[in-house]
Amino acid sequence: MLQNDCIFCKIINQEIQADIVLENSDYIVIQDIHPKAPTHLLIIPKTHSDGLHDFNTTPAAALLLLDTIKTLNSRLENPSFKIQINNGTAAGQEVFHLHIHFTSSSKLKST
Ligand code: AMP
């Protein structure tokens, strides 16, 4: 389910342009518009939830998330990464559509 007033839903719906790095059945991965590391990606579930606290997933989709993270790591010049979820205003969340920050001091390999 997508929400009309959600910027990440608009990206998923191709109403707003984003630099897409990877896409599969359940997730879209985009470049963060204000990168805080040489690689700063956002892994965004294609269905809307405000945060991890209300994310309804399936075992298959949860496994695909881990697979997506491993795939991104394999695309780094020097595989090594951090992941972070800001869940809630007090944790610094600004966009209320669940997303996982994937950052690395390494750049993505050129394709
Ligand atoms: P958070 O504080 O966890 O909600 O982080 C939201 C992130 O989304 C920030 O790092 C923003 O730079 C990023 N962001 C916001 N709008 C866009 C956009 N249109 N395209 C890519 N990244 C965005």
Side-chain angles (χ1 to χ4, degrees):
M1 187 78 87
L2 298 174
Q3 275 195 358
N4 288 337
D5 57 348
C6 169
I7 191 161
F8 288 170
C9 285
K10 287 183 178 170
I11 287 173
I12 292 160
N13 223 13
Q14 298 182 342
E15 293 170 46
I16 291 180
Q17 196 273 336
D19 193 347
I20 298 171
V21 172
L22 183 158
E23 188 170 1
N24 55 38
S25 57
D26 296 306
Y27 303 96
I28 188 167
V29 180
I30 65 170
Q31 300 274 6
D32 194 292
I33 205 165
H34 298 303
K36 295 181 178 64
T39 294
H40 187 169
L41 309 176
L42 301 174
I43 305 168
I44 306 173
K46 287 184 172 177
T47 55
H48 184 92
S49 62
D50 289 350
L52 190 65
H53 62 282
D54 66 347
F55 181 47
N56 287 312
T57 189
T58 62
L63 282 175
L64 183 56
L65 175 58
L66 295 179
D67 195 52
T68 301
I69 292 167
K70 288 196 279 185
T71 297
L72 293 172
N73 185 49
S74 72
R75 291 193 188 176
L76 292 168
E77 288 174 355
N78 181 17
S80 182
F81 66 91
K82 290 183 188 175
I83 56 173
Q84 179 172 330
I85 297 173
N86 300 325
N87 197 96
T89 308
Q93 185 176 5
E94 292 176 353
V95 177
F96 288 85
H97 177 132
L98 173 61
H99 53 281
I100 296 141
H101 295 261
F102 176 103
T103 56
S104 178
S105 57
S106 172
K107 290 188 175 174
L108 287 170
K109 291 177 199 164
S110 52
T111 49

PDB file of all heavy atoms in Angstrom, residues 7-8 11 16-19 30-36 40 42 44 84-88 91-97 99-101, ligand 1:
ATOM      1  N   ILE A   7       7.037  10.849   0.497  1.00  0.00           N
ATOM      2  CA  ILE A   7       8.034  11.063  -0.556  1.00  0.00           C
ATOM      3  C   ILE A   7       8.619   9.748  -1.059  1.00  0.00           C
ATOM      4  O   ILE A   7       8.865   9.586  -2.269  1.00  0.00           O
ATOM      5  CB  ILE A   7       9.124  12.050  -0.085  1.00  0.00           C
ATOM      6  CG1 ILE A   7       9.994  12.481  -1.261  1.00  0.00           C
ATOM      7  CG2 ILE A   7       9.962  11.467   1.032  1.00  0.00           C
ATOM      8  CD1 ILE A   7      10.770  13.731  -1.022  1.00  0.00           C
ATOM      9  N   PHE A   8       8.832   8.778  -0.171  1.00  0.00           N
ATOM     10  CA  PHE A   8       9.396   7.507  -0.632  1.00  0.00           C
ATOM     11  C   PHE A   8       8.362   6.692  -1.417  1.00  0.00           C
ATOM     12  O   PHE A   8       8.725   5.994  -2.364  1.00  0.00           O
ATOM     13  CB  PHE A   8       9.980   6.715   0.549  1.00  0.00           C
ATOM     14  CG  PHE A   8      11.262   7.293   1.100  1.00  0.00           C
ATOM     15  CD1 PHE A   8      11.804   6.820   2.296  1.00  0.00           C
ATOM     16  CD2 PHE A   8      11.951   8.299   0.436  1.00  0.00           C
ATOM     17  CE1 PHE A   8      12.988   7.347   2.811  1.00  0.00           C
ATOM     18  CE2 PHE A   8      13.131   8.845   0.945  1.00  0.00           C
ATOM     19  CZ  PHE A   8      13.644   8.364   2.135  1.00  0.00           C
ATOM     20  N   ILE A  11       8.593   8.034  -4.833  1.00  0.00           N
ATOM     21  CA  ILE A  11       9.759   7.500  -5.548  1.00  0.00           C
ATOM     22  C   ILE A  11       9.451   6.089  -6.047  1.00  0.00           C
ATOM     23  O   ILE A  11       9.721   5.752  -7.208  1.00  0.00           O
ATOM     24  CB  ILE A  11      11.003   7.537  -4.625  1.00  0.00           C
ATOM     25  CG1 ILE A  11      11.476   8.990  -4.462  1.00  0.00           C
ATOM     26  CG2 ILE A  11      12.127   6.650  -5.187  1.00  0.00           C
ATOM     27  CD1 ILE A  11      12.581   9.188  -3.444  1.00  0.00           C
ATOM     28  N   ILE A  16       8.441  10.769  -8.420  1.00  0.00           N
ATOM     29  CA  ILE A  16       9.616  11.590  -8.115  1.00  0.00           C
ATOM     30  C   ILE A  16      10.830  10.790  -8.526  1.00  0.00           C
ATOM     31  O   ILE A  16      10.899   9.576  -8.292  1.00  0.00           O
ATOM     32  CB  ILE A  16       9.673  11.931  -6.602  1.00  0.00           C
ATOM     33  CG1 ILE A  16       8.545  12.883  -6.229  1.00  0.00           C
ATOM     34  CG2 ILE A  16      11.024  12.526  -6.236  1.00  0.00           C
ATOM     35  CD1 ILE A  16       8.552  13.260  -4.761  1.00  0.00           C
ATOM     36  N   GLN A  17      11.801  11.480  -9.138  1.00  0.00           N
ATOM     37  CA  GLN A  17      13.012  10.815  -9.617  1.00  0.00           C
ATOM     38  C   GLN A  17      13.961  10.526  -8.460  1.00  0.00           C
ATOM     39  O   GLN A  17      14.020  11.290  -7.488  1.00  0.00           O
ATOM     40  CB  GLN A  17      13.685  11.741 -10.654  1.00  0.00           C
ATOM     41  CG  GLN A  17      14.723  11.081 -11.527  1.00  0.00           C
ATOM     42  CD  GLN A  17      16.103  11.101 -10.877  1.00  0.00           C
ATOM     43  OE1 GLN A  17      16.398  11.949 -10.030  1.00  0.00           O
ATOM     44  NE2 GLN A  17      16.944  10.157 -11.274  1.00  0.00           N
ATOM     45  N   ALA A  18      14.645   9.411  -8.541  1.00  0.00           N
ATOM     46  CA  ALA A  18      15.698   9.078  -7.569  1.00  0.00           C
ATOM     47  C   ALA A  18      16.758   8.277  -8.298  1.00  0.00           C
ATOM     48  O   ALA A  18      16.500   7.704  -9.368  1.00  0.00           O
ATOM     49  CB  ALA A  18      15.122   8.279  -6.406  1.00  0.00           C
ATOM     50  N   ASP A  19      17.930   8.245  -7.724  1.00  0.00           N
ATOM     51  CA  ASP A  19      19.037   7.481  -8.306  1.00  0.00           C
ATOM     52  C   ASP A  19      18.940   6.047  -7.756  1.00  0.00           C
ATOM     53  O   ASP A  19      19.371   5.768  -6.645  1.00  0.00           O
ATOM     54  CB  ASP A  19      20.350   8.156  -7.924  1.00  0.00           C
ATOM     55  CG  ASP A  19      21.515   7.619  -8.725  1.00  0.00           C
ATOM     56  OD1 ASP A  19      21.355   6.575  -9.391  1.00  0.00           O
ATOM     57  OD2 ASP A  19      22.593   8.250  -8.685  1.00  0.00           O
ATOM     58  N   ILE A  30      18.055   3.327  -3.110  1.00  0.00           N
ATOM     59  CA  ILE A  30      18.387   4.587  -3.796  1.00  0.00           C
ATOM     60  C   ILE A  30      19.585   5.247  -3.112  1.00  0.00           C
ATOM     61  O   ILE A  30      19.906   4.956  -1.959  1.00  0.00           O
ATOM     62  CB  ILE A  30      17.186   5.566  -3.807  1.00  0.00           C
ATOM     63  CG1 ILE A  30      16.826   6.017  -2.387  1.00  0.00           C
ATOM     64  CG2 ILE A  30      15.998   4.951  -4.522  1.00  0.00           C
ATOM     65  CD1 ILE A  30      15.819   7.173  -2.352  1.00  0.00           C
ATOM     66  N   GLN A  31      20.220   6.154  -3.853  1.00  0.00           N
ATOM     67  CA  GLN A  31      21.281   6.983  -3.275  1.00  0.00           C
ATOM     68  C   GLN A  31      20.626   8.013  -2.359  1.00  0.00           C
ATOM     69  O   GLN A  31      19.638   8.656  -2.760  1.00  0.00           O
ATOM     70  CB  GLN A  31      22.034   7.734  -4.388  1.00  0.00           C
ATOM     71  CG  GLN A  31      22.713   6.855  -5.415  1.00  0.00           C
ATOM     72  CD  GLN A  31      24.110   6.434  -4.981  1.00  0.00           C
ATOM     73  OE1 GLN A  31      24.545   6.711  -3.853  1.00  0.00           O
ATOM     74  NE2 GLN A  31      24.813   5.756  -5.878  1.00  0.00           N
ATOM     75  N   ASP A  32      21.153   8.182  -1.151  1.00  0.00           N
ATOM     76  CA  ASP A  32      20.653   9.249  -0.277  1.00  0.00           C
ATOM     77  C   ASP A  32      20.998  10.598  -0.915  1.00  0.00           C
ATOM     78  O   ASP A  32      22.107  10.802  -1.409  1.00  0.00           O
ATOM     79  CB  ASP A  32      21.282   9.144   1.119  1.00  0.00           C
ATOM     80  CG  ASP A  32      20.545   9.990   2.142  1.00  0.00           C
ATOM     81  OD1 ASP A  32      20.598  11.244   2.027  1.00  0.00           O
ATOM     82  OD2 ASP A  32      19.910   9.417   3.038  1.00  0.00           O
ATOM     83  N   ILE A  33      20.034  11.499  -0.886  1.00  0.00           N
ATOM     84  CA  ILE A  33      20.216  12.803  -1.541  1.00  0.00           C
ATOM     85  C   ILE A  33      21.242  13.674  -0.807  1.00  0.00           C
ATOM     86  O   ILE A  33      21.837  14.565  -1.407  1.00  0.00           O
ATOM     87  CB  ILE A  33      18.837  13.510  -1.678  1.00  0.00           C
ATOM     88  CG1 ILE A  33      18.834  14.494  -2.822  1.00  0.00           C
ATOM     89  CG2 ILE A  33      18.381  14.124  -0.388  1.00  0.00           C
ATOM     90  CD1 ILE A  33      17.434  14.949  -3.231  1.00  0.00           C
ATOM     91  N   HIS A  34      21.455  13.419   0.473  1.00  0.00           N
ATOM     92  CA  HIS A  34      22.463  14.141   1.257  1.00  0.00           C
ATOM     93  C   HIS A  34      23.411  13.119   1.883  1.00  0.00           C
ATOM     94  O   HIS A  34      23.327  12.852   3.106  1.00  0.00           O
ATOM     95  CB  HIS A  34      21.810  14.990   2.345  1.00  0.00           C
ATOM     96  CG  HIS A  34      20.906  16.058   1.822  1.00  0.00           C
ATOM     97  ND1 HIS A  34      21.322  17.026   0.943  1.00  0.00           N
ATOM     98  CD2 HIS A  34      19.579  16.296   2.026  1.00  0.00           C
ATOM     99  CE1 HIS A  34      20.315  17.824   0.640  1.00  0.00           C
ATOM    100  NE2 HIS A  34      19.238  17.398   1.284  1.00  0.00           N
ATOM    101  N   PRO A  35      24.307  12.537   1.075  1.00  0.00           N
ATOM    102  CA  PRO A  35      25.155  11.438   1.581  1.00  0.00           C
ATOM    103  C   PRO A  35      26.061  11.862   2.725  1.00  0.00           C
ATOM    104  O   PRO A  35      26.657  12.936   2.692  1.00  0.00           O
ATOM    105  CB  PRO A  35      25.958  11.020   0.341  1.00  0.00           C
ATOM    106  CG  PRO A  35      25.894  12.190  -0.587  1.00  0.00           C
ATOM    107  CD  PRO A  35      24.597  12.878  -0.315  1.00  0.00           C
ATOM    108  N   LYS A  36      26.149  10.998   3.729  1.00  0.00           N
ATOM    109  CA  LYS A  36      27.006  11.253   4.894  1.00  0.00           C
ATOM    110  C   LYS A  36      28.215  10.334   4.894  1.00  0.00           C
ATOM    111  O   LYS A  36      28.934  10.245   5.891  1.00  0.00           O
ATOM    112  CB  LYS A  36      26.195  11.074   6.178  1.00  0.00           C
ATOM    113  CG  LYS A  36      25.084  12.114   6.321  1.00  0.00           C
ATOM    114  CD  LYS A  36      24.299  11.956   7.593  1.00  0.00           C
ATOM    115  CE  LYS A  36      23.235  13.032   7.736  1.00  0.00           C
ATOM    116  NZ  LYS A  36      22.198  12.964   6.698  1.00  0.00           N
ATOM    117  N   HIS A  40      26.242   6.064   0.571  1.00  0.00           N
ATOM    118  CA  HIS A  40      25.120   6.237   1.500  1.00  0.00           C
ATOM    119  C   HIS A  40      23.848   5.919   0.727  1.00  0.00           C
ATOM    120  O   HIS A  40      23.368   6.719  -0.084  1.00  0.00           O
ATOM    121  CB  HIS A  40      25.078   7.660   2.057  1.00  0.00           C
ATOM    122  CG  HIS A  40      24.055   7.852   3.140  1.00  0.00           C
ATOM    123  ND1 HIS A  40      23.995   8.979   3.915  1.00  0.00           N
ATOM    124  CD2 HIS A  40      23.051   7.051   3.586  1.00  0.00           C
ATOM    125  CE1 HIS A  40      23.003   8.868   4.792  1.00  0.00           C
ATOM    126  NE2 HIS A  40      22.409   7.708   4.596  1.00  0.00           N
ATOM    127  N   LEU A  42      19.809   4.105   0.711  1.00  0.00           N
ATOM    128  CA  LEU A  42      18.604   3.866   1.514  1.00  0.00           C
ATOM    129  C   LEU A  42      17.897   2.647   0.941  1.00  0.00           C
ATOM    130  O   LEU A  42      17.581   2.614  -0.253  1.00  0.00           O
ATOM    131  CB  LEU A  42      17.664   5.082   1.450  1.00  0.00           C
ATOM    132  CG  LEU A  42      18.249   6.409   1.928  1.00  0.00           C
ATOM    133  CD1 LEU A  42      17.262   7.541   1.658  1.00  0.00           C
ATOM    134  CD2 LEU A  42      18.615   6.356   3.407  1.00  0.00           C
ATOM    135  N   ILE A  44      14.617   0.724   0.888  1.00  0.00           N
ATOM    136  CA  ILE A  44      13.246   1.148   1.194  1.00  0.00           C
ATOM    137  C   ILE A  44      12.263   0.038   0.808  1.00  0.00           C
ATOM    138  O   ILE A  44      12.192  -0.346  -0.370  1.00  0.00           O
ATOM    139  CB  ILE A  44      12.901   2.441   0.403  1.00  0.00           C
ATOM    140  CG1 ILE A  44      13.956   3.523   0.667  1.00  0.00           C
ATOM    141  CG2 ILE A  44      11.502   2.922   0.752  1.00  0.00           C
ATOM    142  CD1 ILE A  44      13.793   4.769  -0.207  1.00  0.00           C
ATOM    143  N   GLN A  84      21.759   1.320   9.558  1.00  0.00           N
ATOM    144  CA  GLN A  84      21.132   2.066  10.652  1.00  0.00           C
ATOM    145  C   GLN A  84      19.676   2.335  10.314  1.00  0.00           C
ATOM    146  O   GLN A  84      19.348   2.660   9.170  1.00  0.00           O
ATOM    147  CB  GLN A  84      21.865   3.401  10.861  1.00  0.00           C
ATOM    148  CG  GLN A  84      21.261   4.263  11.961  1.00  0.00           C
ATOM    149  CD  GLN A  84      22.120   5.485  12.268  1.00  0.00           C
ATOM    150  OE1 GLN A  84      23.331   5.449  12.116  1.00  0.00           O
ATOM    151  NE2 GLN A  84      21.475   6.567  12.686  1.00  0.00           N
ATOM    152  N   ILE A  85      18.839   2.203  11.324  1.00  0.00           N
ATOM    153  CA  ILE A  85      17.434   2.604  11.194  1.00  0.00           C
ATOM    154  C   ILE A  85      17.161   3.648  12.257  1.00  0.00           C
ATOM    155  O   ILE A  85      17.398   3.407  13.447  1.00  0.00           O
ATOM    156  CB  ILE A  85      16.473   1.403  11.397  1.00  0.00           C
ATOM    157  CG1 ILE A  85      16.690   0.344  10.310  1.00  0.00           C
ATOM    158  CG2 ILE A  85      15.018   1.881  11.402  1.00  0.00           C
ATOM    159  CD1 ILE A  85      15.903  -0.946  10.554  1.00  0.00           C
ATOM    160  N   ASN A  86      16.699   4.829  11.830  1.00  0.00           N
ATOM    161  CA  ASN A  86      16.212   5.835  12.767  1.00  0.00           C
ATOM    162  C   ASN A  86      14.715   5.607  12.892  1.00  0.00           C
ATOM    163  O   ASN A  86      13.973   5.786  11.919  1.00  0.00           O
ATOM    164  CB  ASN A  86      16.501   7.241  12.251  1.00  0.00           C
ATOM    165  CG  ASN A  86      17.996   7.476  12.071  1.00  0.00           C
ATOM    166  OD1 ASN A  86      18.805   6.962  12.838  1.00  0.00           O
ATOM    167  ND2 ASN A  86      18.364   8.222  11.046  1.00  0.00           N
ATOM    168  N   ASN A  87      14.269   5.162  14.057  1.00  0.00           N
ATOM    169  CA  ASN A  87      12.846   4.828  14.235  1.00  0.00           C
ATOM    170  C   ASN A  87      12.228   5.758  15.269  1.00  0.00           C
ATOM    171  O   ASN A  87      12.449   5.585  16.472  1.00  0.00           O
ATOM    172  CB  ASN A  87      12.704   3.359  14.655  1.00  0.00           C
ATOM    173  CG  ASN A  87      11.287   2.839  14.446  1.00  0.00           C
ATOM    174  OD1 ASN A  87      11.004   2.226  13.435  1.00  0.00           O
ATOM    175  ND2 ASN A  87      10.388   3.121  15.372  1.00  0.00           N
ATOM    176  N   GLY A  88      11.488   6.751  14.775  1.00  0.00           N
ATOM    177  CA  GLY A  88      10.828   7.700  15.675  1.00  0.00           C
ATOM    178  C   GLY A  88      11.531   9.048  15.690  1.00  0.00           C
ATOM    179  O   GLY A  88      12.745   9.139  15.456  1.00  0.00           O
ATOM    180  N   ALA A  91      14.628   9.584  17.667  1.00  0.00           N
ATOM    181  CA  ALA A  91      15.806   8.888  17.131  1.00  0.00           C
ATOM    182  C   ALA A  91      16.336   9.583  15.884  1.00  0.00           C
ATOM    183  O   ALA A  91      17.283   9.095  15.259  1.00  0.00           O
ATOM    184  CB  ALA A  91      15.452   7.434  16.817  1.00  0.00           C
ATOM    185  N   GLY A  92      15.695  10.702  15.504  1.00  0.00           N
ATOM    186  CA  GLY A  92      16.180  11.464  14.356  1.00  0.00           C
ATOM    187  C   GLY A  92      15.500  11.117  13.049  1.00  0.00           C
ATOM    188  O   GLY A  92      15.935  11.571  11.983  1.00  0.00           O
ATOM    189  N   GLN A  93      14.432  10.325  13.103  1.00  0.00           N
ATOM    190  CA  GLN A  93      13.745   9.984  11.853  1.00  0.00           C
ATOM    191  C   GLN A  93      13.083  11.226  11.268  1.00  0.00           C
ATOM    192  O   GLN A  93      12.402  11.969  11.970  1.00  0.00           O
ATOM    193  CB  GLN A  93      12.689   8.892  12.099  1.00  0.00           C
ATOM    194  CG  GLN A  93      12.024   8.413  10.810  1.00  0.00           C
ATOM    195  CD  GLN A  93      11.048   7.254  11.032  1.00  0.00           C
ATOM    196  OE1 GLN A  93      10.793   6.854  12.173  1.00  0.00           O
ATOM    197  NE2 GLN A  93      10.510   6.730   9.954  1.00  0.00           N
ATOM    198  N   GLU A  94      13.319  11.442   9.971  1.00  0.00           N
ATOM    199  CA  GLU A  94      12.742  12.606   9.285  1.00  0.00           C
ATOM    200  C   GLU A  94      11.728  12.199   8.226  1.00  0.00           C
ATOM    201  O   GLU A  94      10.799  12.950   7.941  1.00  0.00           O
ATOM    202  CB  GLU A  94      13.860  13.441   8.646  1.00  0.00           C
ATOM    203  CG  GLU A  94      14.746  14.119   9.675  1.00  0.00           C
ATOM    204  CD  GLU A  94      15.908  14.870   9.055  1.00  0.00           C
ATOM    205  OE1 GLU A  94      16.107  14.757   7.829  1.00  0.00           O
ATOM    206  OE2 GLU A  94      16.616  15.550   9.813  1.00  0.00           O
ATOM    207  N   VAL A  95      11.959  11.047   7.613  1.00  0.00           N
ATOM    208  CA  VAL A  95      11.017  10.551   6.598  1.00  0.00           C
ATOM    209  C   VAL A  95      10.298   9.347   7.194  1.00  0.00           C
ATOM    210  O   VAL A  95      10.938   8.343   7.544  1.00  0.00           O
ATOM    211  CB  VAL A  95      11.750  10.165   5.299  1.00  0.00           C
ATOM    212  CG1 VAL A  95      10.767   9.578   4.298  1.00  0.00           C
ATOM    213  CG2 VAL A  95      12.475  11.372   4.697  1.00  0.00           C
ATOM    214  N   PHE A  96       8.983   9.468   7.281  1.00  0.00           N
ATOM    215  CA  PHE A  96       8.220   8.437   8.000  1.00  0.00           C
ATOM    216  C   PHE A  96       7.690   7.366   7.049  1.00  0.00           C
ATOM    217  O   PHE A  96       6.488   7.142   6.923  1.00  0.00           O
ATOM    218  CB  PHE A  96       7.148   9.100   8.866  1.00  0.00           C
ATOM    219  CG  PHE A  96       7.803   9.792  10.040  1.00  0.00           C
ATOM    220  CD1 PHE A  96       8.298  11.081   9.910  1.00  0.00           C
ATOM    221  CD2 PHE A  96       8.019   9.110  11.233  1.00  0.00           C
ATOM    222  CE1 PHE A  96       8.965  11.695  10.968  1.00  0.00           C
ATOM    223  CE2 PHE A  96       8.690   9.722  12.288  1.00  0.00           C
ATOM    224  CZ  PHE A  96       9.165  11.011  12.151  1.00  0.00           C
ATOM    225  N   HIS A  97       8.627   6.759   6.374  1.00  0.00           N
ATOM    226  CA  HIS A  97       8.444   5.527   5.587  1.00  0.00           C
ATOM    227  C   HIS A  97       9.702   4.736   5.914  1.00  0.00           C
ATOM    228  O   HIS A  97      10.820   5.234   5.670  1.00  0.00           O
ATOM    229  CB  HIS A  97       8.336   5.865   4.094  1.00  0.00           C
ATOM    230  CG  HIS A  97       8.206   4.676   3.179  1.00  0.00           C
ATOM    231  ND1 HIS A  97       7.246   4.607   2.182  1.00  0.00           N
ATOM    232  CD2 HIS A  97       8.931   3.524   3.079  1.00  0.00           C
ATOM    233  CE1 HIS A  97       7.384   3.453   1.524  1.00  0.00           C
ATOM    234  NE2 HIS A  97       8.409   2.788   2.045  1.00  0.00           N
ATOM    235  N   HIS A  99      12.999   2.994   6.258  1.00  0.00           N
ATOM    236  CA  HIS A  99      14.160   2.902   5.369  1.00  0.00           C
ATOM    237  C   HIS A  99      15.368   2.549   6.212  1.00  0.00           C
ATOM    238  O   HIS A  99      15.465   2.921   7.379  1.00  0.00           O
ATOM    239  CB  HIS A  99      14.387   4.208   4.603  1.00  0.00           C
ATOM    240  CG  HIS A  99      14.476   5.411   5.477  1.00  0.00           C
ATOM    241  ND1 HIS A  99      13.361   6.030   6.014  1.00  0.00           N
ATOM    242  CD2 HIS A  99      15.546   6.099   5.944  1.00  0.00           C
ATOM    243  CE1 HIS A  99      13.742   7.044   6.755  1.00  0.00           C
ATOM    244  NE2 HIS A  99      15.069   7.108   6.746  1.00  0.00           N
ATOM    245  N   ILE A 100      16.274   1.834   5.581  1.00  0.00           N
ATOM    246  CA  ILE A 100      17.489   1.394   6.253  1.00  0.00           C
ATOM    247  C   ILE A 100      18.659   2.106   5.590  1.00  0.00           C
ATOM    248  O   ILE A 100      18.852   1.997   4.367  1.00  0.00           O
ATOM    249  CB  ILE A 100      17.633  -0.139   6.134  1.00  0.00           C
ATOM    250  CG1 ILE A 100      16.465  -0.807   6.870  1.00  0.00           C
ATOM    251  CG2 ILE A 100      18.957  -0.627   6.684  1.00  0.00           C
ATOM    252  CD1 ILE A 100      15.942  -2.006   6.177  1.00  0.00           C
ATOM    253  N   HIS A 101      19.413   2.844   6.390  1.00  0.00           N
ATOM    254  CA  HIS A 101      20.611   3.504   5.863  1.00  0.00           C
ATOM    255  C   HIS A 101      21.711   2.445   5.717  1.00  0.00           C
ATOM    256  O   HIS A 101      21.998   1.695   6.664  1.00  0.00           O
ATOM    257  CB  HIS A 101      21.100   4.589   6.831  1.00  0.00           C
ATOM    258  CG  HIS A 101      20.154   5.737   6.998  1.00  0.00           C
ATOM    259  ND1 HIS A 101      20.303   6.929   6.324  1.00  0.00           N
ATOM    260  CD2 HIS A 101      19.045   5.880   7.762  1.00  0.00           C
ATOM    261  CE1 HIS A 101      19.330   7.760   6.670  1.00  0.00           C
ATOM    262  NE2 HIS A 101      18.554   7.147   7.549  1.00  0.00           N
TER     263      HIS A 101
HETATM  264  P1  AMP B   1      15.925   9.620   8.476  1.00  0.00           P
HETATM  265  O1  AMP B   1      16.475  10.691   9.344  1.00  0.00           O
HETATM  266  O2  AMP B   1      16.377   8.247   8.891  1.00  0.00           O
HETATM  267  O3  AMP B   1      14.435   9.721   8.281  1.00  0.00           O
HETATM  268  O4  AMP B   1      16.616   9.846   7.062  1.00  0.00           O
HETATM  269  C1  AMP B   1      15.963  10.319   5.924  1.00  0.00           C
HETATM  270  C2  AMP B   1      16.984  10.316   4.831  1.00  0.00           C
HETATM  271  O5  AMP B   1      16.306  10.461   3.596  1.00  0.00           O
HETATM  272  C3  AMP B   1      17.991  11.462   4.921  1.00  0.00           C
HETATM  273  O6  AMP B   1      19.311  10.919   4.964  1.00  0.00           O
HETATM  274  C4  AMP B   1      17.730  12.279   3.653  1.00  0.00           C
HETATM  275  O7  AMP B   1      18.910  12.817   3.113  1.00  0.00           O
HETATM  276  C5  AMP B   1      17.091  11.248   2.746  1.00  0.00           C
HETATM  277  N1  AMP B   1      16.203  11.769   1.720  1.00  0.00           N
HETATM  278  C6  AMP B   1      15.161  12.608   1.896  1.00  0.00           C
HETATM  279  N2  AMP B   1      14.547  12.852   0.728  1.00  0.00           N
HETATM  280  C7  AMP B   1      15.200  12.133  -0.205  1.00  0.00           C
HETATM  281  C8  AMP B   1      15.053  11.955  -1.608  1.00  0.00           C
HETATM  282  N3  AMP B   1      14.088  12.564  -2.302  1.00  0.00           N
HETATM  283  N4  AMP B   1      15.918  11.143  -2.252  1.00  0.00           N
HETATM  284  C9  AMP B   1      16.906  10.520  -1.573  1.00  0.00           C
HETATM  285  N5  AMP B   1      17.105  10.631  -0.239  1.00  0.00           N
HETATM  286  C10 AMP B   1      16.266  11.449   0.427  1.00  0.00           C
END
